[in-house]
Amino acid sequence: MAIYTLPELPYDYAALEPVINPQIIELHHDKHHAAYVKGANDTLEQLEEARDKDQWGAINGLEKNLAFHLSGHILHSIYWNNMNSPKDGGGGEPLAADGVGDLADAITESFGSFAKFKAQLTKASATTQGSGWGVLAYEPISGRLIVEQVYDHQGNVGQGSVPILVFDAWEHAFYLQYKNQKVDFIEAMWQVVNWQDVGKRYHAAKASVPLISF
Ligand code: MN
């Protein structure tokens, strides 16, 4: 029973050139992302089997695998939509003229300025140790935006925060093109950010009612 499916890319493999080459996009989506989808589905099946047989010996590993693969699927699904070609409006800054003025205001309120936010997300992404992500997230208790440095796909995150812009800093995201120059890759990423998509996610996150109250 497959619950999760690999979403189609919103563009062709070459759409993000020269920032990300088509070979990376193809492997990253068709192989890596697909593996997380399969991993999440397989783990759910294994958990069902554990419940059926009342065999809990592998529960710790299964819960870890579920968090890893499911978070991988979710982050990659956001990642593809967070980007678009500079020819189609990718890059720059969120602008009121593009309908994302409130996102721009929230960034300024939360980080001091767009430049300070950009520096923080760039640093958080580029300094990941091993595999990880830099993430801009909406934190629903305070209504602030925060930057998270995510370990693997699931670690080092604040519970309840909603990712709205994600930078994949795993080596598979850049190594074929940028080799060991992770900083160059992260800096180039800003040329393909789809601010309309980030703004849409910000509006949706803001509209959702937090289930936690103190
Ligand atoms: Mn990835």
Side-chain angles (χ1 to χ4, degrees), residues 81-84 89-95 98-100 103-104 107 114 117-118 121 136 164-165 167 190-203:
N81 287 290
N82 271 168
M83 298 185 285
N84 67 349
E93 296 184 18
L95 300 171
D98 297 326
V100 287
L103 171 64
I107 286 173
F114 183 82
F117 152 67
K118 187 175 176 180
L121 182 54
L136 173 67
I164 62 171
L165 173 62
F167 283 7
W190 293 99
Q191 298 169 40
V192 291
V193 173
N194 180 344
W195 288 111
Q196 263 85 27
D197 182 71
V198 180
K200 192 180 73 183
R201 293 176 193 283
Y202 172 66
H203 297 152

Side-chain angles (χ1 to χ4, degrees), residues 14-72:
L16 302 176
E17 283 207 287
V19 173
I20 309 178
N21 74 30
Q23 190 189 10
I24 289 179
I25 297 291
E26 183 173 2
L27 282 168
H28 197 170
H29 175 268
D30 295 7
K31 304 296 182 189
H32 291 275
H33 187 170
Y36 301 131
V37 171
K38 183 177 187 307
N41 287 326
D42 288 352
T43 308
L44 284 182
E45 278 182 23
Q46 289 157 13
L47 282 163
E48 189 176 358
E49 201 180 316
R51 289 192 299 272
D52 288 347
K53 296 181 178 168
D54 211 16
Q55 286 180 353
W56 300 106
I59 185 67
N60 288 5
L62 289 174
E63 295 292 357
K64 183 165 187 280
N65 286 347
L66 184 63
F68 176 83
H69 291 293
L70 182 53
S71 299

Side-chain angles (χ1 to χ4, degrees), residues 138-143 160 205-213:
Y138 177 75
E139 196 288 289
I141 305 301
S142 64
K206 218 174 133 181
S208 69
V209 178
L211 296 174
I212 315 154
S213 61

Side-chain angles (χ1 to χ4, degrees), residues 82-176:
N82 271 168
M83 298 185 285
N84 67 349
S85 164
K87 281 176 293 207
D88 298 322
E93 296 184 18
L95 300 171
D98 297 326
V100 287
D102 54 348
L103 171 64
D105 291 345
I107 286 173
T108 303
E109 280 168 29
S110 300
F111 299 98
S113 67
F114 183 82
K116 293 290 183 191
F117 152 67
K118 187 175 176 180
Q120 186 176 340
L121 182 54
T122 299
K123 286 291 180 191
S125 306
T127 62
T128 46
Q129 296 175 323
S131 298
W133 297 72
V135 169
L136 173 67
Y138 177 75
E139 196 288 289
I141 305 301
S142 64
R144 290 173 64 87
L145 294 171
I146 58 173
V147 165
E148 299 177 318
Q149 186 181 59
V150 178
Y151 302 161
D152 294 331
H153 303 305
Q154 77 278 27
N156 205 38
V157 296
Q159 297 291 341
S161 59
V162 182
I164 62 171
L165 173 62
V166 301
F167 283 7
D168 193 338
W170 284 53
E171 285 187 346
H172 67 225
F174 66 89
Y175 212 85
L176 287 173

